[in-house]
């Protein structure tokens, strides 16, 4: 299984003839090599896509007795300073060593201000105590460092971060009074980048040494800087210069053990096709740099997302926005996603209640939908030895359950169940739109013949499963088996006859594909809720 790539080979030869030099250009299109795509293996065994919750929502339970259903999330961590022993340890600038920076509001110099004037030894001594305090010795999780005051690339410290460049130049002028401004600026740039690299690199080394069971990296790295979505011709692509700048800090990707890019949405991207382009290219840039250290052993990527918009703090993402963020990330084969939230989500009982309703009725059903579809594709195509990723990276093909054949139900008990089973057409559609990227250290082989698949068993969380026989009744099954839907814990009656019509084709008919039935049971009636209609046209390949 591989992708056949071709490479233009350019030959130049100079032939002397009668004192005249002639250049002969020969272009040959030849097969270069068979290359295989790889992804990082699951961080937690058996959890092919990891969901993390990184918001202080424990306050909803403590203050207002609103218990949020976070059972689908394998790792939970509160960003509050007083909370320790979390599955997700988020280190802000005041919680990890002595991070040199300048206060954004007051302009106060903290720990030297610029990294050249910070004490690396004092920083690491303090960081050692902080890491030991916040992370238990034998625990497993994600360690995310959120340092956002300055950037390690000199050129990326534009306003208001330009103060770090100005103070670096002032320091260099004091040390080299005989040099002109151009020469001083060159020295200031080199000194700043060297010191910044030391602080970031040595902090990662210390974290990995003290807590090797955690995956370490910096939040928002890598960044694509494709924020120009107000442009009418926006295509989401990362600027070439920003990719080169990411290449300049390859030392960071080599030292990290995970990447934590951000796909937070501004409300200007609400229900917009530009949102998918924005997210798609940011994730692809993370995938690109994940291979810097070793193309066959890429770093795991855990994408940071938010349930609300960045500029409208209590306005929740729509179903279409969830597709443009979560759906995009899953279809490109990342390792997981972390949902981050601020204290704004816990201000009062009404806000906590609204968050609870959003998680139950919008977020959790979509997580179930996309995770089970991704796992089913992985099991069918990769035999659980890899992940499914798009064949055409810039398409609108998503890993979703076919709504004609599946319904997600929230019972009165608060438990989710999934009714239905895939058809051979559903499985063949996976094969048509996606291919298998093997986990590192495996020799997976993509399944070609899908007709010999007899069972599918995939779960999200502990007990939300699709566990079905696809063809005839197995001979060893109890005699009272009558074609009912089987889960890991109980048996559901067969679904009512589905609506007539062909199976949905992700990308071609996203409107129908997202009308996955979500049924909520209450004491008086059963309400069937469908995802809102979404209209996104396929992009040309």
């Amino acid at each position: 299984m591989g992708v056949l790539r071709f490479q233009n080979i350019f030959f130049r030869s100079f032939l002397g003839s009668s004192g005249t030099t002639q250049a002969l250009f020969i272009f040959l299109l030849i097969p270069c090599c068979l290359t295989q795509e790889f992804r990082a293996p699951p961080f937690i065994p058996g959890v092919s896509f990891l969901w993390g919750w990184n918001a202080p929502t424990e306050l909803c339970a403590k203050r207002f007795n609103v218990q949020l259903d976070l059972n689908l999330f394998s790792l939970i961590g509160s960003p509050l300073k007083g909370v320790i022993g979390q599955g997700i340890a988020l280190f802000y600038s005041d919680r990890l060593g002595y991070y040199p920076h300048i206060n954004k509001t007051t302009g106060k110099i903290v720990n030297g201000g610029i990294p050249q004037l910070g004490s690396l030894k004092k920083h690491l001594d303090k960081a050692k105590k902080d890491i030991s305090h916040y992370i238990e010795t034998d625990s497993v999780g994600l360690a995310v460092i959120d340092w956002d005051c300055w950037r390690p690339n000199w050129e990326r410290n534009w306003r208001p971060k330009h103060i770090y460049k100005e103070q670096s130049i002032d320091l260099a002028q004091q040390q080299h009074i005989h040099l002109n401004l151009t020469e001083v600026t060159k020295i200031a740039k080199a000194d700043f980048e060297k010191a910044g690299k030391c602080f970031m690199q040595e902090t990662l080394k210390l974290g990995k040494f003290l807590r090797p069971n955690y995956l370490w990296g910096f939040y928002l790295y890598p960044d694509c800087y494709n924020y120009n979505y107000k442009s009418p011709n926006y295509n989401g692509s990362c600027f070439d210069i920003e990719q080169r700048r990411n290449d300049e800090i390859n030392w960071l990707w080599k030292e990290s053990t995970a990447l934590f890019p951000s796909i937070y949405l501004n409300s200007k991207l609400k229900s917009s096709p530009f949102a998918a382009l924005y997210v798609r290219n940011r994730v692809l840039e993370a995938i690109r740099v994940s291979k810097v250290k070793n193309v066959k052993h890429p770093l795991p990527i855990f994408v940071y997302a938010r349930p609300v918009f960045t500029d409208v703090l209590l306005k929740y993402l729509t179903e279409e926005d969830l597709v443009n963020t979560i759906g995009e990330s899953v279809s490109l084969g990342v390792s997981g996603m972390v949902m981050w939230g601020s204290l704004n989500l816990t201000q009062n009982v009404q806000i906590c209640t609204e968050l609870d309703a959003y998680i139950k009725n919008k977020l959790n059903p979509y997580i179930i939908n996309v995770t089970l579809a991704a796992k089913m594709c992985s099991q069918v195509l990769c035999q659980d030895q890899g992940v499914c990723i798009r064949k055409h990276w810039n398409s609108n093909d998503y890993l979703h359950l076919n709504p004609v054949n599946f319904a997600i139900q929230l019972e009165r008990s608060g438990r989710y169940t999934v009714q239905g089973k895939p058809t051979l057409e559903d499985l063949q559609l996976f094969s048509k739109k996606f291919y298998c990227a093997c986990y590192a250290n495996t020799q997976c082989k993509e399944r070609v013949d899908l007709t010999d698949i007899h069972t599918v068993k995939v779960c999200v969380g502990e007990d939300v499963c699709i566990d079905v026989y696809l063809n005839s009744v197995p001979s060893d099954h109890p005699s009272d088996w009558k074609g009912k839907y089987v889960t890991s814990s109980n048996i559901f009656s067969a679904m009512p006859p589905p609506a007539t019509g062909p199976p949905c084709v992700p990308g071609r008919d996203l409107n129908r594909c997202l009308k996955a039935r979500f049924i909520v049971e209450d004491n008086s009636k059963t309400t069937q809720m469908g995802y809102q209609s979404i209209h996104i046209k396929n992009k040309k390949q």
Side-chain angles (χ1 to χ4, degrees), residues 27 112 149 153 233 258 323 348 366 393 425 456 465 494 498:
F27 294 89
C149 293
N153 300 83
N233 299 320
V323 175
N348 55 52
Y366 187 68
W393 68 270
E425 284 181 299
V456 169
C465 300

Side-chain angles (χ1 to χ4, degrees), residues 12-55:
R12 174 184 292 177
S13 61
F14 296 94
L15 304 177
S17 175
S18 303
T20 303
T21 301
Q22 297 178 336
L24 177 63
F25 302 95
I26 304 174
F27 294 89
L28 296 178
L29 185 65
I30 63 174
C32 174
C33 55
L34 282 173
T35 61
Q36 193 173 48
E37 189 80 9
F38 291 94
R39 289 292 189 269
F43 177 50
I44 299 176
V47 182
S48 58
F49 193 89
L50 188 147
W51 291 97
W53 184 263
N54 197 194

Side-chain angles (χ1 to χ4, degrees), residues 10 32 58 115 119 131 136 138 172 197 281 283 298 331-332 387:
F10 172 75
C32 174
E58 71 275 10
S119 172
I131 293 170
E136 297 175 353
D138 298 324
K197 174 183 176 180
N281 285 275
V283 172
S331 69
L332 295 171
V387 297

Side-chain angles (χ1 to χ4, degrees), residues 191-434:
D191 290 347
F192 172 85
E193 291 187 336
K194 180 180 179 181
K197 174 183 176 180
C198 285
F199 267 90
M200 297 178 74
Q201 193 173 45
E202 294 304 317
T203 302
L204 286 174
K205 288 180 180 179
L206 178 65
K208 292 188 296 181
F209 175 76
L210 294 175
R211 296 295 183 267
N213 292 333
Y214 271 63
L215 296 179
W216 289 83
F218 281 84
Y219 164 72
L220 197 55
Y221 286 85
D223 198 346
C224 175
Y225 294 93
N226 59 342
Y227 301 108
N228 57 321
Y229 40 74
K230 294 180 182 179
S231 170
N233 299 320
Y234 182 72
N235 63 9
S237 62
C238 306
F239 295 105
D240 290 342
I241 190 171
E242 296 304 338
Q243 290 188 311
R244 289 196 297 271
R245 287 169 178 168
N246 281 338
D247 292 340
E248 291 173 3
I249 54 174
N250 276 349
W251 52 266
L252 181 58
W253 322 132
K254 292 178 180 179
E255 203 63 62
S256 301
T257 48
L259 301 178
F260 301 100
S262 169
I263 57 169
Y264 296 170
L265 291 189
N266 184 281
S267 62
K268 291 182 175 59
L269 291 173
K270 178 180 179 294
S271 302
S272 167
F274 284 176
L277 299 175
Y278 169 79
V279 171
R280 183 176 304 162
N281 285 275
R282 295 177 72 80
V283 172
L284 286 171
E285 176 63 0
I287 292 172
R288 185 183 75 86
V289 305
S290 74
K291 303 174 184 178
V292 165
K293 187 175 182 178
N294 190 327
V295 69
K296 292 185 177 181
H297 297 270
L299 296 176
I301 299 168
F302 300 95
V303 180
Y304 259 78
R306 296 181 69 172
V308 296
F309 295 98
T310 57
D311 56 330
V312 188
L313 299 181
L314 295 177
K315 188 175 184 63
Y316 289 96
L317 303 189
T318 66
E319 290 91 345
E320 184 173 0
D321 299 321
L322 293 178
V323 175
N324 290 337
T325 52
I326 295 174
E328 275 293 324
S329 301
V330 173
S331 69
L332 295 171
V334 301
S335 297
M337 178 167 289
V338 179
M339 299 297 292
W340 182 88
S342 70
L343 283 169
N344 291 310
L345 297 177
T346 66
Q347 290 177 353
N348 55 52
V349 65
Q350 179 181 348
I351 291 174
C352 285
T353 302
E354 290 173 353
L355 174 61
D356 178 53
Y358 179 78
I359 292 174
K360 285 181 178 177
N361 300 321
K362 294 283 182 69
L363 182 60
N364 278 353
Y366 187 68
I367 287 176
I368 292 170
N369 187 329
V370 72
T371 307
L372 289 178
K375 285 192 169 186
M376 191 189 308
C377 184
S378 171
Q379 187 173 103
V380 168
L381 294 189
C382 312
Q383 302 175 73
D384 290 323
Q385 297 299 306
V387 297
C388 291
I389 60 178
R390 282 177 179 150
K391 286 186 176 179
H392 303 291
W393 68 270
N394 207 27
S395 72
N396 288 327
D397 296 326
Y398 296 99
L399 288 163
H400 289 147
L401 299 177
N402 187 343
V404 174
N405 298 326
F406 289 96
I408 300 168
Q409 182 166 318
L410 177 59
E411 298 179 341
R412 286 189 295 270
S413 64
R415 179 176 177 269
Y416 292 95
T417 56
V418 182
Q419 299 185 21
K421 69 177 182 178
T423 63
L424 179 60
E425 284 181 299
D426 293 337
L427 305 185
Q428 290 173 334
L429 193 60
F430 285 148
S431 181
K432 180 180 179 181
K433 299 292 185 179
F434 296 85

